[in-house]
Amino acid sequence: MRIVFALGGSVLMPKEGASVDKLKEYAEVFRKIKDMDNELSIVVGGGNTARNYISIAREFTNEAFCDEIGILATRMNSMLLMSALGNYVIKKIPENFKEAELILNLDKIVVMGGTHPAHTTDAVAASLAEYINADLLVIATNVDGVYDKDPRKYKDAKKLTKITTKELLNITGSASIAAGSSSIIDPLASKIIDRAKLKTVVIEGTPKEILNTISEKHHGTVIVPEE
Ligand code: UTP
């Protein structure tokens, strides 16, 4: 199976920072998934590093330049994961999908960050999934699925176990695209998921849940294309 993971930066780089043990756990899970005869791409987010830098830079410059700073943070996080994956990767961060596809064809795990301003790594992962005709897109984030409203703001928010890509568009359509903003799925990613009819799951990005997606025993939200 061809799988693309969007690994939220806040998962890999939480407020308290990354840890050796945590990185080891993620690397082990991804190696296991690869060894199960899957083709694997991981698009890593910028997390707290991106947000810290962006919040300071915004005082001096425009959103596009803040986005460029965010992209560098995503690549730094990618290098961290890459360093833990050993010879399962080539130590080159693809900056576009052609480079990513070449790495995949060399039977290595693709690890990459952002590409261009004005979207997040969710959109990069969705676009990559479309480009390489992936069988599955997994958005591994700091929320355990898609809710009918923001669970961090509303106590009565309900988790949705299965939704269509059109329903996803309604839920995420109005989210902000400012540099460093954080919505469950970036609105551009939702549009790509819809147009490419990508089978997608949104899960909490713990190593266990990531592994659970392969056996379809996760506790997240499944997004299915509308017939
Ligand atoms: P992220 O993809 O990490 O965004 O990119 P996020 O929503 O903060 O996700 P988490 O918290 O990691 O899950 C960080 C920032 O980098 C810029 C954007 O400003 C984004 O908010 N970025 C990233 C781009 O402009 N283009 C990209 O392709 C990727």
Side-chain angles (χ1 to χ4, degrees):
M1 194 160 59
R2 253 188 181 187
I3 313 171
V4 175
F5 279 89
L7 184 64
S10 44
V11 167
L12 204 66
M13 187 62 70
K15 281 207 172 73
E16 64 275 16
S19 85
V20 173
D21 287 345
K22 210 164 161 190
L23 265 170
K24 270 189 194 158
E25 264 185 78
Y26 281 105
E28 198 177 307
V29 162
F30 286 125
R31 280 196 293 256
K32 208 179 258 181
I33 294 173
K34 171 81 175 92
D35 288 342
M36 290 170 178
D37 214 17
N38 293 303
E39 289 180 314
L40 195 56
S41 303
I42 309 162
V43 182
V44 184
N48 230 42
T49 316
R51 258 184 284 279
N52 282 343
Y53 274 78
I54 288 169
S55 69
I56 295 172
R58 182 171 281 133
E59 298 296 316
F60 306 103
T61 186
N62 57 36
E63 289 299 297
F65 196 68
C66 289
D67 283 338
E68 286 199 342
I69 294 175
I71 291 170
L72 288 182
T74 66
R75 292 187 181 153
M76 252 162 60
N77 287 346
S78 300
M79 287 176 85
L80 209 54
L81 180 63
M82 210 173 229
S83 65
L85 282 166
N87 63 4
Y88 279 65
V89 298
I90 288 174
K91 288 201 212 77
K92 158 86 179 93
I93 296 179
E95 292 182 13
N96 57 56
F97 302 144
K98 284 190 174 53
E99 288 175 6
E101 195 173 42
L102 275 177
I103 293 173
L104 212 52
N105 289 342
L106 292 172
D107 201 25
K108 298 287 183 183
I109 299 178
V110 170
V111 184
M112 69 184 287
T115 51
H116 302 97
H119 53 72
T120 72
T121 43
D122 288 349
V124 176
S127 245
L128 175 64
E130 180 178 39
Y131 191 86
I132 63 171
N133 292 316
D135 303 293
L136 180 66
L137 169 66
V138 182
I139 300 188
T141 181
N142 55 5
V143 183
D144 63 352
V146 179
Y147 283 71
D148 57 352
K149 47 192 164 189
D150 190 342
R152 289 165 294 194
K153 284 190 203 149
Y154 302 95
K155 276 210 172 105
D156 63 337
K158 284 193 192 68
K159 186 159 82 177
L160 308 163
T161 49
K162 194 172 181 181
I163 57 172
T164 65
T165 50
K166 298 278 184 248
E167 285 168 325
L168 177 72
L169 282 179
N170 285 336
I171 293 169
T172 60
S174 60
S176 157
I177 63 159
S181 72
S182 109
S183 68
I184 174 82
I185 301 180
D186 147 2
L188 178 60
S190 301
K191 285 186 184 153
I192 299 166
I193 289 169
D194 182 53
R195 86 160 185 188
K197 300 188 187 326
L198 288 172
K199 184 179 176 197
T200 305
V201 296
V202 180
I203 54 157
E204 186 174 12
T206 60
K208 195 164 172 228
E209 265 297 81
I210 287 174
L211 201 55
N212 283 343
T213 49
I214 308 305
S215 52
E216 296 193 47
K217 286 188 181 131
H218 62 85
H219 303 90
T221 302
V222 178
I223 301 161
V224 289
E226 209 147 274
E227 292 307 321

